Amino acid sequence: MAERMIVIGGDAAGMSAASQARRRRRDRSDLEIVAFERGNFTSYSACGIPYWVSGLVEDRDELISRDPRTFRDEFGIEVRTRHEVTAIDLDRREVIARDLDGGGEVRAGFDTLVYATGASPVQPEWARDDVSGVFGVQTLDDGAALIGWLEREPRPRHAVVVGGGYVGVEMAEALVQRGLKVQLVEQADQP
Ligand SMILES: Cc1cc2nc3c(=O)[nH]c(=O)nc-3n(C[C@H](O)[C@H](O)[C@H](O)COP(=O)(O)OP(=O)(O)OC[C@H]3O[C@@H](n4cnc5c(N)ncnc54)[C@H](O)[C@@H]3O)c2cc1C
């Protein structure tokens, strides 16, 4: 039976690990590789999100370097998008994932596990549930959600960006370019 490598997280780290594993073990019947990604996209450029929001990058697909079909057809790597891993059963060596569209639970056994879920923006307690118009920026899905909000009517006119690291500054610039009045809040002395 083939060994199985499971990857959690389908962006830079996870899909680099999956691709590198495939380069080393080309025979698909020797190593099966399955990646779980809770969003809709794989191997995207999060770095490009501010330029997509600003309009400089017009087409979202310009930010995607390899989609799930390419991984499957050219690399023999199966990607299950819209599957969120909710637990890891170490005794049984299984990951447990929720199918975000079908609603069911999926279990998959692993010999090797790569955990590459990235770093999520910290969202304050009060902003987690019923408050609309609050966004973090990590994934392309986050970018799509923000753009959807900016394009609704009546058009949002003011934005507050919390955090003056480079991501915050790039997002502030992008929002200015879209015509919003932007305030950037940073706890340190300088952005
Ligand atoms: C706006 C912005 C601009 C940036 N600009 C630059 C730059 O100019 N230069 C630079 O070097 N870096 C930049 N970065 C940083 C760079 O994008 C990250 O370092 C890189 O994306 C990290 O890759 P990763 O695979 O570790 O994590 P991520 O890209 O965060 O990917 C993690 C993936 O895991 C998925 N995931 C999370 N939890 C689960 C789960 N439970 N089940 C299934 N899937 C899950 C997420 O949906 C996501 O797709 C930028 C980042 C942002 C957000």
Side-chain angles (χ1 to χ4, degrees):
M1 209 169 79
E3 259 180 61
R4 188 187 285 148
M5 174 173 162
I6 299 258
V7 174
I8 311 173
D11 193 25
M15 297 320 289
S16 300
S19 302
Q20 183 64 10
R22 177 56 75 221
R23 265 178 227 117
R24 287 164 179 254
R25 302 266 294 270
R26 290 184 187 275
D27 184 352
R28 297 173 194 196
S29 62
D30 177 41
L31 179 68
E32 189 188 346
I33 306 173
V34 182
F36 286 91
E37 165 55 50
R38 74 174 162 203
N40 287 287
F41 308 101
T42 50
S43 290
Y44 50 85
S45 162
C47 316
I49 292 172
Y51 306 100
W52 181 32
V53 170
S54 73
L56 199 62
V57 171
E58 287 175 17
D59 184 359
R60 181 202 65 203
D61 290 352
E62 286 178 49
L63 301 180
I64 299 172
S65 56
R66 276 182 200 153
D67 62 13
R69 189 196 291 192
T70 307
F71 278 112
R72 186 192 63 211
D73 294 349
E74 295 181 21
F75 298 88
I77 297 169
E78 185 192 333
V79 183
R80 299 197 191 155
T81 52
R82 304 276 303 150
H83 279 71
E84 180 173 39
V85 173
T86 52
I88 300 167
D89 184 337
L90 289 176
D91 293 331
R92 300 174 68 160
R93 296 183 74 80
E94 286 180 345
V95 297
I96 300 157
R98 195 155 48 102
D99 177 347
L100 297 176
D101 295 321
E105 186 181 277
V106 178
R107 281 181 168 260
F110 60 82
D111 298 288
T112 306
L113 179 65
V114 174
Y115 195 85
T117 52
S120 314
V122 177
Q123 215 158 338
E125 196 72 53
W126 55 262
R128 280 185 202 152
D129 296 322
D130 289 332
V131 185
S132 52
V134 181
F135 299 90
V137 185
Q138 178 193 6
T139 65
L140 269 199
D141 290 287
D142 295 337
L146 174 58
I147 289 171
W149 173 265
L150 294 172
E151 289 179 349
R152 69 204 275 279
E153 296 291 347
R155 293 283 160 118
R157 290 182 297 138
H158 297 92
V160 174
V161 174
V162 181
Y166 70 84
V167 172
V169 171
E170 286 180 1
M171 289 307 301
E173 284 177 357
L175 293 164
V176 167
Q177 276 165 16
R178 282 191 80 106
L180 280 87
K181 187 159 186 274
V182 181
Q183 284 179 299
L184 186 135
V185 182
E186 165 56 50
Q187 66 182 356
D189 291 341
Q190 70 166 75

